Amino acid sequence: MAKASALHILVKTEKEALALKAKLEKGADFYQLAKRHSMCPSKKQGGDLGEFKRGQMVKPFDNAVFAKGSEDKPLIGPVKTRFGYHLIKVLYKSG
């Protein structure tokens, strides 16, 4: 079974996500931005979702994390789900 670990930031709008992505690409700290801006309870851990199996997350999120080559990208997103827009940083992936 494929497993992964990722950090994410969840915001309401694509505009917010793109603004945060620009900050991250300029070297901003993912952990701090997640704590300050994410709507997900994981923000208390800097957006850390821990380890999860394929199929445990909503489909668009799951597809983005488990896509071929996603572990080589420093940042994925914005990815739209029913919860909002996610910026995702894959820490590792197996399977």
Side-chain angles (χ1 to χ4, degrees), residues 5-68:
S5 180
L7 307 175
H8 84 134
I9 298 172
L10 174 62
V11 294
K12 285 184 181 180
T13 68
E14 185 175 24
K15 185 178 177 181
E16 283 178 276
L18 290 170
L20 290 172
K21 185 174 186 174
K23 288 181 182 184
L24 289 165
E25 288 172 342
K26 290 179 182 172
D29 184 70
F30 197 100
Y31 182 86
Q32 292 301 323
L33 287 182
K35 282 188 87 126
R36 194 171 303 127
H37 298 283
S38 187
M39 302 183 313
C40 181
S42 69
K43 74 181 190 176
K44 293 176 185 169
Q45 293 83 35
D48 192 346
L49 295 169
E51 187 175 270
F52 51 90
K53 295 177 184 170
R54 183 175 202 121
Q56 281 187 289
M57 300 296 180
V58 291
K59 193 162 184 62
F61 188 98
D62 204 61
N63 289 345
V65 169
F66 289 100
K68 185 174 183 175

